[in-house]
Amino acid sequence: MDNCNGYGVAPRISAPQLYPVSIGGAIVRQSGGDDHFMNSTVFLNAGIGVSAIQTSTERRVLPSAVEIAWFSFTEKKAFYAECRLNEKYIARIMSDGYRLVDGSKGYYSHFDIALFPGGRVAFYLSGDERMRLVEQHNANDTDLPVSVFAPDSGFEDYEEFAEAFIRGDECSDSSNDGDAGCADTGACGDFKDETRSAWVDNLMENGVDYSLIELYFKRYTFGIEIESKANGGCPSAGDLDGMVLSVEFANGEFFKYRGNAIPYDDYGIIKSVSFEYELADGSVLCDIYFNIKELAMALSLADDSIQSQIPSHSLGNSNNNNKSNNNNKSNNNNNNNNNTLHLNFDYAQCAVTAQLTNGNCCCNIERLRYRVAEYKDGRTVLKGGNC
């Protein structure tokens, strides 16, 4: 079907960075349409929504179910899931589309399947300027043989297979990419730098951080405001209305937005914020990265501070109390009582600070990483930062 009518998506499979998996096979089923068989025995770790699978770009009718099996190297186990999807809900989101930064209507072009530790399967709709989480499901452990995930690898035991990958043994001869281990997992070239060393050390010492995965999918109500010092060529906040913000969340969602303030809504934990605005002779680019656990803690404390201000009598069931509760909810929709993440940008100092505030508290976000660059005369020059 024509995607211009709001329908038709190309399926993709992905996994978070540093959570490598090997796909044993996947089927995307469609009501009234053909089943779509995804490539099997493919290694993935490029990031949510970033697929190493060369799938057809043909737009297909909306998915009704997904069947998938994969091996988790970090957990040394295999998972299998058969997920029935809410077709009406997905169809409505597809039809609604989303607003592009130029004000026109955008449509989703891909149906993304992302695999997480603990057997969590998340499904997204994604387009050029937005990726939206639509459903989550839980997979079951399975005892499918190693050969399903890596044919001709020579391994029969899950533990040995995973440890060989983690140590890099199966890719010791990178000149022979036709050998089973390299060809079937795709591991060669992906984990052969300092990133792999740090990943292995952390995995061996701490294992998979399941509490962090749970944080990925928590949602909080807040807004974002970017403020700027008007010096050193940096515009004032009033001049930032035309900037383009890109916000990426830990749960895989992202969107682009024009302006220096993101409206209050229910969002996941922010992973990064990037923005760009024009100067007279070029543009400024800034990338800001958050510590997920720190920001989640700050949002939880801020929510607690708001709840502590709600009068206890407003939680009753009488008509009068319900009226009080509604009035209180209305009051909490103003800027003073909502959580606002303030990002303060000092162009002259190439510095960024952040605070989470509401009417009751202010919390400094300390563990920021950021970088500032200028684009002039056809090239990008790094100006400063701490990463």
Side-chain angles (χ1 to χ4, degrees):
M1 301 179 69
D2 187 355
N3 197 44
C4 292
N5 293 327
Y7 295 91
V9 289
R12 300 185 299 193
I13 307 176
S14 61
Q17 291 181 337
L18 304 186
Y19 174 61
V21 301
S22 184
I23 307 299
I27 305 173
V28 179
R29 305 192 188 281
Q30 301 158 322
S31 295
D34 296 331
D35 292 345
H36 182 54
F37 293 84
M38 309 289 284
N39 291 7
S40 60
T41 63
V42 175
F43 169 86
L44 296 171
N45 80 313
I48 304 168
V50 182
S51 176
I53 297 179
Q54 185 62 41
T55 63
S56 169
T57 58
E58 177 187 352
R59 300 289 183 258
R60 295 171 176 268
V61 296
L62 296 182
S64 61
V66 171
E67 184 177 359
I68 187 168
W70 76 95
F71 182 82
S72 165
F73 291 99
T74 54
E75 298 168 285
K76 303 178 183 179
K77 64 169 61 174
F79 296 98
Y80 170 81
E82 189 167 1
C83 310
R84 185 77 186 176
L85 304 175
N86 187 334
E87 295 175 77
K88 290 184 178 180
Y89 176 63
I90 294 175
R92 179 173 62 81
I93 294 175
M94 284 290 295
S95 179
D96 290 345
Y98 60 93
R99 185 187 178 100
L100 297 168
V101 295
D102 64 6
S104 62
K105 185 175 181 178
Y107 289 98
Y108 299 99
S109 56
H110 286 87
F111 174 67
D112 283 291
I113 306 163
L115 310 172
F116 291 86
R120 188 190 298 255
V121 190
F123 300 100
Y124 306 80
L125 291 173
S126 60
D128 290 340
E129 296 184 10
R130 181 159 189 183
M131 185 167 183
R132 178 169 177 174
L133 176 66
V134 292
E135 287 194 35
Q136 297 179 59
H137 292 257
N138 292 317
N140 295 315
D141 295 0
T142 181
D143 58 358
L144 290 169
V146 173
S147 59
V148 170
F149 309 99
D152 306 318
S153 67
F155 291 102
E156 297 182 358
D157 180 77
Y158 280 176
E159 188 103 1
E160 292 178 357
F161 178 48
E163 289 186 358
F165 172 86
I166 292 170
R167 292 193 308 267
D169 293 352
E170 84 286 15
C171 284
S172 58
D173 182 5
S174 60
S175 63
N176 188 1
D177 287 348
D179 281 351
C182 294
D184 293 327
T185 66
C188 284
D190 283 306
F191 272 51
K192 281 197 167 293
D193 54 21
E194 63 277 5
T195 300
R196 174 167 188 148
S197 178
W199 169 74
V200 171
D201 291 345
N202 181 69
L203 181 64
M204 292 302 186
E205 181 177 353
N206 302 310
V208 175
D209 188 349
Y210 293 103
S211 65
L212 183 62
I213 304 302
E214 288 300 316
L215 286 181
Y216 283 1
F217 292 92
K218 291 199 69 172
R219 303 188 86 89
Y220 299 89
T221 302
F222 61 94
I224 304 173
E225 290 186 5
I226 295 181
E227 300 164 356
S228 176
K229 288 188 176 181
N231 56 33
C234 185
S236 63
D239 299 324
L240 298 179
D241 292 342
M243 73 158 48
V244 175
L245 288 172
S246 297
V247 185
E248 184 178 355
F249 299 89
N251 64 9
E253 293 183 309
F254 81 85
F255 63 79
K256 290 186 176 181
Y257 189 86
R258 183 175 295 280
N260 69 314
I262 300 294
Y264 295 97
D265 207 337
D266 291 336
Y267 301 114
I269 303 296
I270 295 177
K271 180 180 178 181
S272 67
V273 174
S274 301
F275 61 84
E276 179 178 3
Y277 62 83
E278 300 298 321
L279 297 176
D281 56 350
S283 60
V284 171
L285 305 93
C286 183
D287 300 314
I288 306 168
Y289 305 94
F290 295 87
N291 179 279
I292 292 170
K293 287 187 176 180
E294 179 193 30
L295 188 55
M297 177 66 72
L299 285 164
S300 294
L301 291 174
D303 275 354
D304 289 344
S305 75
I306 292 176
Q307 292 300 318
S308 68
Q309 302 302 311
I310 299 177
S312 59
H313 63 75
S314 71
L315 303 179
N317 294 319
S318 70
N319 290 334
N320 288 335
N321 283 343
N322 285 338
K323 182 182 293 186
S324 174
N325 191 35
N326 289 334
N327 288 338
N328 186 78
K329 183 181 292 185
S330 175
N331 289 336
N332 277 344
N333 285 331
N334 63 47
N335 288 1
N336 290 332
N337 289 321
N338 273 323
N339 294 326
T340 303
L341 180 63
H342 297 273
L343 301 177
N344 308 297
F345 178 52
D346 187 333
Y347 173 71
Q349 301 296 322
C350 289
V352 178
T353 59
Q355 295 83 34
L356 183 68
T357 67
N358 57 42
N360 307 308
C361 71
C362 176
C363 178
N364 290 326
I365 308 300
E366 303 285 355
R367 299 175 66 182
L368 285 180
R369 294 181 297 118
Y370 57 89
R371 60 190 174 203
V372 181
E374 282 185 355
Y375 181 78
K376 292 183 179 180
D377 301 323
R379 63 194 187 99
T380 301
V381 178
L382 183 66
K383 300 295 291 184
N386 62 0
C387 66

